[in-house]
Amino acid sequence: MQARKKYVLLGLCACCWLLLFYWGGGVQVRLLKLLGQQRGDVVRPWPDWTDRVLLPGYAQLEELQTGPGSAESPRQRHQAWTGIYKDSRCRMETCFDFTRCRRRGRDGFRVYVYPSEKGERGSESYRKILTSIGESRYYTTDPREACLFVLGIDTLDRDQLSGQFVPNLDDRIKGYPLWNEGRNHLIFNLYSGTWPNYTEDLGFNIGQAILAKASLNTEHFRPGFDVSIPLFSKDHPQKGGERGWLVRNTVPPRRKYLLMFKGKRYLTGIGSDTRNALHHIHNGKDIVSLTTCRHGKDWEKHKDARCDHDNLEYERFDYQELLHNSTFCLVPRGRRLGSFRFLESLQAACIPVLLSNGWELPFSDVIQWNQAVIEGDERLLLQVPSTVHAVGNERVLALRQRTQMLWDAYFSSVDKIVLTTLEIIKDRVFSHVSRNKYMWNSLPGGLLVLPEYSTHLAHFPFYYLSLGVSPGQEFTAIIHAVSPLVSQSQPIMKLLQVVSKSKYCSQIIILWNSEKPPPHRSKWPPMPVPLTVTDGRRKTSSRFLPNVAIETEAVLSLDEDTVLLTSEVNFAFLVWVSFPERIVGYPPRSHFWDPVKNAWGYTSKWTNEYSIVLTGAAFYHRYYHYLFSHYLPPSLRALVDRTSNCEDILMNFLVSAVTHLPPIKVAQRKQYKELPSPQVRPHPSTVNLTNELPSPQGTKMSAPWANPEHFTQRQECVNSFASWFGYMPLVHSQFRLDPLLFKDQVSVLRKKYKDLERA
């Protein structure tokens, strides 16, 4: 009986607990809190497995306490956000007027920047953003044409304690007649909120505007509408930017240090919990995790017992040396979710290990970050060393390579950050003509892949290798004609015969760029391939206009006085088939840095190195016609047209910027003798293959390159182009390809390119 009573009593107790669980959960929680308060225990914000009994050496619980103002619940934070941003559910379909963008078809994506008010002082970073928009191909000065509007008022720093804070924004933007509750507006922001909470409150109602913001929280991010951007410093370059460091640290995959961090330690408040615990993974050998309390005006008032030791250890290591020699870099959150360490790690090819729970990563709509970073959990700090130890060498190298691709494509300059933001929005507006994830996440990056040209990967030359496809086996020859046709013995007639005999030639297009009208079709010789004469509209840049008549992937660009053999044409084409993303041709040139003039120089002297192959006799992919006309700014094309010069150099700049590779020089027969020239002394093999050389013997020198100013202009062009790109994209090379069995002791009958041996 005693045992039966005991079982009944236990059963009643169990039923009572079940009733409390289902019906009185709130009572249970309050009861537990009351019991905890009676015992004097601290309510732990972390799970029980962080107890020092289970994990000796872990941070003290008081180290992990959140600071003042950080105890808001997710519901409270969400309510605060929606109270300020009443349109928190905005999507492109509900808060964006597509009709403003589609009035002019694909050319309808135009961006208008409000003029700054008199006396308005903006930050250097915001000035760079507005400059990038103003120099982009989307900028318009007419608000009636605009699809997207950007404020002239600096909205980057919305910390009320900052000297860059602009007050009364609500009243000011409501005075804009085009504001329309923020519809079709884009607002840039780097810093939001202020001490001690550092919330995402911008201090004004953005309404239905798209927010391009750093440190965006996933709770507040409006997918498919907002754009998360990286936090960048005021010193971040406007254009170009430094290349990634992997070119100097290719092997071995792992570096001296496995994991590193060096930065501030916040003693209290938001961001202090993780950084206060970082010292527990520091061993001073393969893991270097350094923090300092020495920041802020009154840091000594708040310093703890560990500060002095941490500060001494902090000074022992150089940050740049750690970046260069670490495989993984910790990127813990600061006061806000983003950190300058993120971009620094990407550039250094130090794989970012993110400890910033809830951070919506930059350009997350299009970038596959799992291929470049490791996302950790702030609550699982002690697991980070074992996690990165377990990453294999192949994976390490793949992650590092992807950091370099992303850095170079989207983050190395303010220009790229701004343009990436605009291109993402444009892809949303014209979703039927947009880039896919592969285009965004593989070389050369989404900014250089124009979906208006095509949305199919197989139509772009830089994807052939990864897709396992080869370009077509025919080419289109485009001959640039500037001289009137007065005789059947002119060089262009001979050139037509030579090119048309090639078994790979599909068609010939003569781009007529002479002041006199083109002759009637009957004046041209009969051709075994179709011959088309088109109007060049007397613009030098028209030779690279996208021409619907070009049906082949390969384009052979020729000057009218080029002298080639059919075998030379065939050989160059077969080389191009193996390198379809590059320029392949005959006349080489080079650039160099002149320390005396502190400028770039341009030379046609023969050396072992070259960085340019002139398009007077060269193959390239037809996509570069489209990129030349739609990616490059009108200012550069206007420079080419104004000087009637440099279009070939500009095309080399463009292709090298896309590929990060040099062009390819193919060997030519050495039949001609070098002719004297006061400024230009090329290698003999390039005579009659460039627009900088004297005309063939017996012809009249009336071409523009006979002008002494021509070479000086080309020097100036090189510097103008480098200035726009923000760096020098041209790459030097000593690589030359000779025809198979060229000048060897083999029977002439067995040689494939025997005509090229004539001396």
Side-chain angles (χ1 to χ4, degrees):
M1 290 295 293
Q2 294 280 348
R4 182 177 299 175
K5 288 180 180 179
K6 189 181 296 184
Y7 289 130
V8 170
L9 183 61
L10 288 173
L12 289 173
C13 289
C15 290
C16 290
W17 277 106
L18 286 173
L19 290 173
L20 283 172
F21 180 78
Y22 283 104
W23 296 336
V27 176
Q28 182 185 11
V29 171
R30 286 192 294 272
L31 179 61
L32 289 174
K33 285 185 177 180
L34 180 62
L35 291 172
Q37 290 172 359
Q38 289 175 348
R39 294 196 308 266
D41 292 343
V42 177
V43 180
R44 301 187 177 194
W46 286 57
D48 288 340
W49 44 260
T50 60
D51 197 300
R52 289 175 58 83
V53 175
L54 299 177
L55 296 172
Y58 199 74
Q60 296 280 357
L61 285 176
E62 53 267 25
E63 289 182 332
L64 304 177
Q65 295 300 317
T66 54
S70 61
E72 292 178 309
S73 69
R75 177 178 294 180
Q76 289 172 323
R77 290 196 300 270
H78 184 71
Q79 288 174 347
W81 172 265
T82 54
I84 299 168
Y85 305 111
K86 297 181 176 60
D87 298 285
S88 59
R89 297 182 181 274
C90 268
R91 297 297 182 266
M92 294 294 288
E93 308 82 47
T94 59
C95 295
F96 195 88
D97 183 2
F98 288 89
T99 60
R100 293 197 65 97
C101 309
R102 294 173 176 170
R103 296 170 183 171
R104 300 171 57 191
R106 295 178 183 177
D107 295 330
F109 191 79
R110 292 288 181 266
V111 184
Y112 175 78
V113 177
Y114 288 94
S116 299
E117 297 180 16
K118 187 176 182 180
E120 186 79 41
R121 295 184 62 185
S123 64
E124 178 69 12
S125 295
Y126 200 61
R127 184 196 63 78
K128 290 179 180 178
I129 288 176
L130 298 186
T131 299
S132 297
I133 296 174
E135 294 181 352
S136 75
R137 62 186 180 277
Y138 299 129
Y139 177 67
T140 180
T141 57
D142 186 352
R144 295 171 298 180
E145 295 181 348
C147 162
L148 200 63
F149 298 85
V150 176
L151 299 178
I153 306 172
D154 189 348
T155 56
L156 288 188
D157 195 340
R158 301 304 298 162
D159 185 339
Q160 295 181 18
L161 300 179
S162 170
Q164 304 289 345
F165 180 80
V166 179
N168 305 321
L169 267 186
D170 268 323
D171 294 335
R172 296 179 65 178
I173 60 179
K174 285 179 182 177
Y176 291 155
L178 298 173
W179 173 244
N180 191 24
E181 298 297 327
R183 214 167 167 84
N184 287 55
H185 281 68
L186 174 63
I187 294 175
F188 287 92
N189 175 257
L190 294 181
Y191 306 99
S192 62
T194 190
W195 185 90
N197 294 330
Y198 295 98
T199 66
E200 295 190 46
D201 179 7
L202 299 187
F204 70 99
N205 186 3
I206 66 170
Q208 299 177 8
I210 297 171
L211 186 60
K213 186 182 186 310
S215 304
L216 259 174
N217 192 302
T218 53
E219 291 182 20
H220 305 146
F221 177 70
R222 296 173 290 183
F225 192 73
D226 290 333
V227 180
S228 178
I229 64 174
L231 181 65
F232 60 89
S233 71
K234 60 182 177 61
D235 298 321
H236 206 55
Q238 174 80 60
K239 292 177 174 290
E242 293 184 11
R243 294 288 299 275
W245 296 358
L246 189 61
V247 291
R248 298 189 291 273
N249 295 280
T250 304
V251 291
R254 293 183 182 271
R255 297 172 174 173
K256 177 180 178 180
Y257 302 106
L258 174 68
L259 180 67
M260 86 87 176
F261 172 76
K262 185 178 181 183
K264 297 176 182 178
R265 177 160 72 91
Y266 306 118
L267 298 174
T268 59
I270 290 178
S272 61
D273 43 10
T274 302
R275 294 203 179 194
N276 275 333
L278 288 176
H279 72 283
H280 287 290
I281 63 173
H282 171 73
N283 61 23
K285 298 176 183 178
D286 64 331
I287 298 179
V288 178
S289 181
L290 308 166
T291 57
T292 180
C293 307
R294 192 182 288 114
H295 59 88
K297 296 179 180 179
D298 54 353
W299 70 272
E300 290 186 284
K301 296 180 182 179
H302 304 285
K303 76 175 187 177
D304 57 19
R306 217 177 65 235
C307 278
D308 290 335
H309 174 269
D310 285 356
N311 290 342
L312 289 174
E313 190 74 359
Y314 186 87
E315 298 299 330
R316 286 184 53 220
F317 294 85
D318 178 74
Y319 180 61
Q320 292 297 319
E321 190 269 339
L322 287 173
L323 273 179
H324 273 281
N325 293 285
S326 298
T327 305
F328 296 92
C329 284
L330 273 178
V331 184
R333 63 163 295 156
R335 292 301 194 190
R336 300 171 180 87
L337 293 175
S339 167
F340 292 131
R341 297 292 184 272
F342 182 66
L343 289 189
E344 292 168 354
S345 301
L346 281 182
Q347 180 182 9
C350 186
I351 303 165
V353 180
L354 308 181
L355 296 177
S356 187
N357 294 5
W359 182 23
E360 188 72 28
L361 294 183
F363 306 137
S364 54
D365 287 24
V366 296
I367 294 179
Q368 295 172 322
W369 281 111
N370 62 337
Q371 299 178 2
V373 306
I374 293 178
E375 293 192 61
D377 191 317
E378 293 177 85
R379 299 163 299 181
L380 304 176
L381 173 64
L382 293 186
Q383 294 185 13
V384 170
S386 59
T387 299
V388 296
H389 262 299
V391 181
N393 285 343
E394 290 185 2
R395 178 67 174 157
V396 165
L397 186 56
L399 288 167
R400 290 178 63 195
Q401 288 174 336
R402 185 51 57 92
T403 64
Q404 301 302 273
M405 178 262 155
L406 295 176
W407 163 260
D408 183 71
Y410 309 118
F411 300 107
S412 62
S413 68
V414 176
D415 254 8
K416 291 179 180 177
I417 293 172
V418 171
L419 288 176
T420 302
T421 302
L422 296 182
E423 294 291 351
I424 289 174
I425 297 173
K426 182 185 175 186
D427 274 5
R428 295 171 183 171
V429 174
F430 300 99
S431 57
H432 60 293
V433 186
S434 60
R435 305 160 184 84
N436 58 40
K437 283 288 183 70
Y438 187 88
M439 293 172 175
W440 283 107
N441 291 276
S442 59
L443 290 171
L447 298 185
L448 291 164
V449 179
L450 304 188
E452 296 86 354
Y453 172 79
S454 177
T455 57
H456 298 288
L457 295 176
H459 292 169
F460 296 91
F462 27 77
Y463 297 138
Y464 287 161
L465 183 61
S466 58
L467 295 176
V469 300
S470 298
Q473 296 300 305
E474 292 183 325
F475 67 82
T476 297
I478 298 181
I479 302 176
H480 190 232
V482 296
S483 304
L485 188 64
V486 295
S487 170
Q488 293 296 314
S489 61
Q490 286 180 227
I492 191 173
M493 293 301 187
K494 172 66 174 176
L495 183 61
L496 285 171
Q497 297 294 336
V498 167
V499 174
S500 64
K501 289 179 181 177
S502 171
K503 61 182 178 181
Y504 306 111
C505 182
S506 171
Q507 59 177 326
I508 299 176
I509 298 175
I510 296 178
L511 186 64
W512 192 258
N513 206 352
S514 174
E515 294 182 358
K516 295 186 177 181
H520 189 267
R521 179 63 181 85
S522 61
K523 299 292 184 181
W524 299 101
M527 295 280 107
V529 296
L531 175 65
T532 306
V533 181
T534 62
D535 182 13
R537 293 179 290 179
R538 300 187 182 90
K539 289 185 178 181
T540 306
S541 59
S542 62
R543 74 184 299 170
F544 297 132
L545 284 175
N547 195 323
V548 294
I550 301 175
E551 299 175 351
T552 62
E553 295 159 294
V555 175
L556 172 59
S557 176
L558 296 166
D559 286 337
E560 62 182 356
D561 57 351
T562 299
V563 178
L564 284 172
L565 298 174
T566 303
S567 55
E568 289 175 315
V569 173
N570 291 341
F571 172 60
F573 174 70
L574 292 178
V575 171
W576 177 86
V577 169
S578 298
F579 303 93
E581 75 281 13
R582 303 206 222 175
I583 295 177
V584 176
Y586 287 101
R589 294 290 180 267
S590 188
H591 75 286
F592 63 93
W593 178 253
D594 189 338
V596 176
K597 296 181 179 179
N598 196 33
W600 292 106
Y602 170 83
T603 180
S604 56
K605 292 183 179 180
W606 184 86
T607 63
N608 289 330
E609 286 191 334
Y610 65 92
S611 57
I612 297 171
V613 167
L614 301 182
T615 54
F619 283 94
Y620 52 80
H621 195 280
R622 67 177 175 182
Y623 174 61
Y624 294 125
H625 275 239
Y626 197 90
L627 208 57
F628 187 96
S629 299
H630 293 87
Y631 175 78
L632 295 176
S635 59
L636 292 188
R637 298 198 301 274
L639 172 63
V640 167
D641 292 331
R642 185 173 64 253
T643 60
S644 298
N645 199 350
C646 304
E647 78 283 357
D648 47 1
I649 298 177
L650 183 55
M651 177 61 88
N652 275 267
F653 265 75
L654 176 62
V655 177
S656 290
V658 172
T659 63
H660 300 302
L661 295 169
I664 292 179
K665 162 87 172 92
V666 286
Q668 179 194 358
R669 57 178 180 154
K670 296 178 176 57
Q671 177 176 346
Y672 298 99
K673 303 298 181 183
E674 183 179 0
L675 298 177
S677 176
Q679 292 180 321
V680 184
R681 298 185 62 81
H683 186 266
S685 66
T686 64
V687 174
N688 299 318
L689 283 178
T690 172
N691 58 3
E692 296 176 339
L693 302 174
S695 300
Q697 294 181 358
T699 64
K700 185 178 180 180
M701 293 182 60
S702 59
W705 47 88
N707 189 330
E709 294 293 325
H710 179 80
F711 191 77
T712 303
Q713 287 176 349
R714 293 174 80 77
Q715 296 265 19
E716 295 171 352
C717 285
V718 169
N719 286 280
S720 297
F721 300 159
S723 175
W724 183 84
F725 279 91
Y727 71 108
M728 172 52 73
L730 297 178
V731 182
H732 282 107
S733 175
Q734 297 182 1
F735 185 64
R736 287 172 171 79
L737 286 175
D738 289 337
L740 187 66
L741 303 179
F742 181 63
K743 289 208 169 185
D744 58 345
Q745 301 302 316
V746 178
S747 169
V748 173
L749 296 177
R750 294 173 55 193
K751 292 187 177 183
K752 192 172 183 179
Y753 299 100
K754 51 184 178 292
D755 291 341
L756 271 65
E757 281 197 17
R758 292 188 300 169

